[in-house]
Amino acid sequence: MPKGWSGRILWVDLGKGSEGAEAKIIEYPGEWARQFLGGRGLAARILWEYLEPRIDPLSPGNLLILAIGPLTGLPVPSSGKMVVAAKSPLTGGYGDGNIGTLASVEMKKSRLDAIVFRGRAPKPSIAVIEKGKFRLEPADDLWGLDTWETEKKLREKYGRYAGIVEIGPAGENQVKYATIISQEGRSGGRPGIGAVMGSKNLKAVVILGEEMPELHDPKELRKLGGKAYLDVRKSKGYDFWMRQGTMMTIDWAQENSVLPTFNFREGVFDGYKEIDGYKMEELKVNQRGCPNCNMICGNVVKDAESDPSELDYENVAMLGSNIGLADLSKVSVLNKIADKLGVDTISLGSVLAFAAEASEKGLIDEKVEWGDYEKFKELIYDIVYKRTSLGSLLAEGVARASENLGGDAKDWAMHVKGLEISAYDCHAAPAMALAYATSPIGAHHKDAWVISWEVATDRFAYTKEKAMKVIELQRIRGGLFESFATCRLPWVELGLSLEYYPQFLYYATGVKYTWDDLYEVADRIYTLIRAFWIREKGGWSRDMDTPPARWFKEPLRKGPLAGAKLDYEKYNVLLDYYYELRGWDNRGVPRKSTLRKLGLDFVIPELEKIVKLED
Ligand code: PTT
Ligand code: SF4
């Protein structure tokens, strides 16, 4: 194993042995590290290798994986990130999320590249990893508490600098889009990774590390990292970023008609000024962020209940304009409740909007009106505690809820592959629609936020260049940053040169990657994840890579782009370009030659049992 990686996975079988769990260290091959880097890449490789195919995601056999990468926790910009992954209970396919947390740094200091939890603890428990040693502790006094209370109690016991991630009642109750939370305002695992943790009776993971793994050239790494931190600090956009962070996106989204409004019917919202970055500045009381970051972007405001709430663009757009709520202090309350209960704000904003639309169309008995803050607040508790039939229905996500309602509800259930769409309307953004449709976890923007490039070019075009751009971004964002595992925002938002990263990797590991090598790593990860989906779904079809019907059928009615909608035929041409560039056939199945080229020969026998592979 090259330096920089520890080469070690802590494998925990919950519900086994006299202590309620059995733990062992698995040393994984150096080849995996070179070929998949870490984070998402390592998680996908572990799932392919060790997950029993087609298992129920909420059964004990699912694997909950925490994975860091070769750059996590090192003295390079914004390196305090971790990937949390599992087979998703929301989508039935590969699921992961990225969370900024001290736990990532402590994991590095525990000389662990991944922690895998299998099985189910006999009773609510906390996994404690102290100086590399594992133990399971009872969580009877914590089960049922919200994430803030849980973390507060754990910090009292384990100290201010302990790495802690936990779930709230949503994870305990296995809401399909429950997430894992850390440090009161960090959330990861949109596709229900918190529900998987809950299904394992695991309330929290506490990590206390000891020493860093050996690095190839720590002195040079520190020097270069220091220079990069300085570049971030001196960048042109730094001051405004420190004022508004991702909240600056509200005004941009409104100007470009992509602000999700009334369940993605519209791309502009009359009340946008009441929820934008300047409004946030008026309410701001604090600023915080992930470890090892000098551009901290967690903007904390005082909400309508006088509590702190940490805001980001996605949270505000989905719990603001998308449900017709034009009051930031109230949006902040909904956001705070989501963080405390441990549920994803994007999916939540989508199911609430879905309920409002279903009510408007007379498809449900309950009255849910756009912008009705009190009703939405009540609904969140109904969902998390599954205490009403509507709450239980919405706890399943919009895809299942729309199947249940029938009629044309699936046309306006805003998801891809079961994961609710994040906060960019695509009536007039075909490349972004493609990015959502081909994201490896379902409709998330993290893999290819192509929309800022797209609106600055010919946004109505369906060109091969657009498919190429989506792949380029998927490579860098979804393939590499998710596997370095560091934050991508220094590059995305403040233009930190990407050229730093192969050098960081070299000083950390001693492995020299060219950009071609790195792109190949990214393509390998994407194609392996596609193979995983095919294995779990028992096949593939193009409609699984297609965005919701609303964007094709119902034009925008308001704003400068009124009348705009996506073109189904042209979208399919774009999808063909995408498949061709990826080396997948026109069903979206990787070709045999592509699998071989990427060193994924090992998936061929399994896939051949399911589909006929083209050469
Ligand atoms: C991420 C998704 C996002 S992306 C947001 S706001 W964004 C929402 N945040 C939520 C939240 O908060 N609470 C909650 N209960 N649910 C939430 N759901 C939504 O989750 C986040 C930042 C942000 S803020 C972004 S863009 C960047 N995302 C990164 C990424 O994905 N990878 C990476 N290597 N670096 C990234 N940097 C930025 O991190 P998911 P975080 Mg997140 C409160 O989790 O599942 O990936 O979905 O991690 O630590 O909160 O940082 O405008
Ligand atoms: Fe975390 Fe924001 Fe810093 Fe990224 S830029 S590491 S999301 S605080």
Side-chain angles (χ1 to χ4, degrees):
M1 179 66 60
K3 289 180 181 164
W5 288 278
S6 72
R8 294 169 1 122
I9 299 169
L10 176 68
W11 184 280
V12 180
D13 251 309
L14 296 161
K16 263 196 176 177
S18 55
E19 306 292 316
E22 256 174 28
K24 63 181 177 198
I25 295 286
I26 295 179
E27 304 217 339
Y28 69 90
E31 201 62 1
W32 285 20
R34 281 192 206 87
Q35 291 191 336
F36 295 92
L37 287 177
R40 170 181 270 182
L42 182 58
R45 188 66 186 86
I46 291 172
L47 281 171
W48 180 271
E49 189 74 19
Y50 295 110
L51 185 81
E52 185 187 325
R54 291 172 285 283
I55 202 164
D56 172 357
L58 294 175
S59 69
N62 199 359
L63 306 179
L64 169 69
I65 302 172
L66 314 184
I68 58 169
L71 299 183
T72 306
L74 301 186
V76 302
S78 311
S79 67
K81 289 275 189 181
M82 168 194 281
V83 168
V84 292
K87 176 173 173 178
S88 158
L90 186 62
T91 68
Y94 174 81
D96 72 16
N98 192 296
I99 181 166
T101 168
L102 268 171
S104 66
V105 182
E106 292 305 305
M107 217 168 126
K108 191 79 168 186
K109 284 164 53 189
S110 305
R111 292 184 300 109
L112 293 171
D113 293 336
I115 303 173
V116 179
F117 294 100
R118 199 188 167 280
R120 174 179 291 148
K123 56 186 185 121
S125 303
I126 301 159
V128 182
I129 297 127
E130 192 165 3
K131 296 185 181 167
K133 294 263 177 302
F134 174 83
R135 65 179 187 272
L136 203 62
E137 295 196 346
D140 305 314
D141 58 330
L142 298 179
W143 202 254
L145 296 189
D146 71 40
T147 60
W148 294 11
E149 293 165 321
T150 302
E151 195 160 323
K152 187 165 172 270
K153 281 187 182 269
L154 289 172
R155 282 207 181 281
E156 279 162 12
K157 186 164 175 192
Y158 295 103
R160 207 171 140 202
Y161 298 107
I164 301 173
V165 294
E166 70 275 338
I167 55 166
E172 295 171 14
N173 297 333
Q174 300 174 25
V175 172
K176 294 275 176 6
Y177 40 91
T179 59
I180 296 178
I181 304 278
S182 190
Q183 296 166 206
E184 293 193 0
R186 309 277 111 198
S187 163
R190 289 195 54 216
I193 310 304
V196 175
M197 188 156 158
S199 75
K200 300 196 170 305
N201 261 336
L202 203 53
K203 179 69 178 171
V205 181
V206 178
I207 311 176
L208 295 145
E210 195 175 19
E211 55 171 320
M212 285 283 184
E214 211 184 326
L215 302 179
H216 173 68
D217 194 337
K219 215 167 125 207
E220 284 303 313
L221 182 74
R222 192 165 284 282
K223 217 159 91 188
L224 193 69
K227 187 166 172 297
Y229 274 113
L230 213 59
D231 283 0
V232 168
R233 177 68 192 86
K234 290 195 312 209
S235 64
K236 206 164 98 242
Y238 186 83
D239 291 342
F240 193 58
W241 172 260
M242 292 300 279
R243 276 172 54 190
Q244 294 202 354
T246 59
M247 281 295 294
M248 66 171 83
T249 314
I250 295 275
D251 287 350
W252 173 87
Q254 171 80 7
E255 272 160 35
N256 290 288
S257 298
V258 299
L259 184 65
T261 303
F262 302 125
N263 199 24
F264 290 90
R265 270 185 199 155
E266 306 296 344
V268 290
F269 181 51
D270 289 342
Y272 79 100
K273 276 275 158 225
E274 297 307 314
I275 57 168
D276 73 358
Y278 294 97
K279 195 58 157 182
M280 183 278 294
E281 285 192 70
E282 286 172 24
L283 303 178
K284 188 164 165 175
V285 290
N286 197 1
Q287 186 149 356
R288 59 191 180 205
C290 313
N292 295 3
C293 181
N294 69 336
M295 50 180 282
I296 49 168
C297 67
N299 287 304
V300 184
V301 299
K302 192 172 178 183
D303 72 14
E305 295 174 344
S306 293
D307 288 326
S309 177
E310 188 177 321
L311 300 180
D312 267 304
Y313 166 73
E314 307 289 331
N315 309 332
V316 174
M318 294 306 289
L319 295 172
S321 51
N322 202 44
I323 60 171
L325 183 55
D327 181 332
L328 192 61
S329 64
K330 289 181 177 162
V331 172
S332 305
V333 173
L334 304 186
N335 176 67
K336 169 195 67 187
I337 297 172
D339 280 349
K340 290 178 89 164
L341 301 183
V343 67
D344 176 51
T345 51
I346 296 175
S347 292
L348 188 62
S350 200
V351 298
L352 295 178
F354 181 85
E357 184 156 355
S359 167
E360 190 181 59
K361 291 185 161 140
L363 295 173
I364 55 173
D365 295 334
E366 260 184 73
K367 193 137 193 66
V368 184
E369 287 184 58
W370 298 109
D372 186 346
Y373 163 65
E374 291 298 341
K375 182 67 194 174
F376 286 130
K377 199 161 104 173
E378 181 188 310
L379 262 181
I380 299 178
Y381 289 99
D382 292 346
I383 290 169
V384 169
Y385 293 97
K386 300 185 182 173
R387 60 184 191 185
T388 60
S389 57
L390 180 60
S392 303
L393 180 74
L394 298 177
E396 295 293 303
V398 293
R400 288 189 181 89
S402 69
E403 279 163 26
N404 193 293
L405 290 191
D408 70 349
K410 66 175 179 358
D411 288 358
W412 39 273
M414 301 308 287
H415 72 94
V416 176
K417 300 182 182 70
L419 181 68
E420 287 75 14
I421 289 174
S422 28
Y424 303 93
D425 185 85
C426 292
H427 277 90
M432 191 64 217
L434 179 72
Y436 279 137
T438 59
S439 148
I441 61 167
H444 198 19
H445 62 291
K446 80 153 91 199
D447 285 85
W449 189 63
V450 70
I451 197 158
S452 64
W453 172 84
E454 185 169 38
V455 299
T457 57
D458 177 1
R459 64 185 293 176
F460 300 103
Y462 294 74
T463 55
K464 192 167 188 172
E465 190 197 3
K466 287 203 173 180
M468 283 163 73
K469 191 71 185 173
V470 168
I471 292 178
E472 181 193 327
L473 290 178
Q474 288 180 336
R475 283 173 167 161
I476 299 170
R477 296 165 62 108
L480 298 177
F481 278 103
E482 292 315 305
S483 305
F484 292 157
T486 64
C487 181
R488 60 171 187 259
L489 298 186
W491 164 64
V492 175
E493 300 291 349
L494 297 182
L496 181 69
S497 170
L498 279 178
E499 293 310 324
Y500 275 113
Y501 289 87
Q503 296 182 65
F504 290 156
L505 275 178
Y506 175 66
Y507 291 137
T509 68
V511 181
K512 276 200 167 140
Y513 288 96
T514 63
W515 276 103
D516 283 348
D517 297 334
L518 288 173
Y519 282 167
E520 192 172 287
V521 168
D523 290 349
R524 183 177 297 122
I525 294 168
Y526 265 67
T527 301
L528 176 62
I529 293 178
R530 174 51 59 108
F532 180 84
W533 274 93
I534 295 169
R535 183 176 86 176
E536 296 308 311
K537 294 285 175 181
W540 203 253
S541 62
R542 296 170 69 97
D543 59 339
M544 290 158 110
D545 292 330
T546 302
R550 161 154 285 166
W551 288 339
F552 295 106
K553 288 188 177 170
E554 295 174 32
L556 291 172
R557 287 171 304 186
K558 285 179 66 179
L561 296 185
K565 64 181 170 75
L566 291 180
D567 182 305
Y568 188 73
E569 307 300 321
K570 290 182 185 164
Y571 174 79
N572 271 288
V573 174
L574 201 54
L575 188 58
D576 279 335
Y577 289 140
Y578 178 88
Y579 286 158
E580 182 196 323
L581 289 161
R582 279 234 169 266
W584 301 351
D585 68 22
N586 63 10
R587 297 165 299 174
V589 175
R591 293 178 181 281
K592 241 189 218 177
S593 48
T594 306
L595 292 167
R596 290 201 181 108
K597 191 177 104 207
L598 295 172
L600 295 173
D601 310 56
F602 59 89
V603 308
I604 293 175
E606 188 67 30
L607 288 190
E608 277 184 327
K609 287 187 215 157
I610 301 166
V611 282
K612 188 164 167 19
L613 294 181
E614 292 182 11
D615 265 327

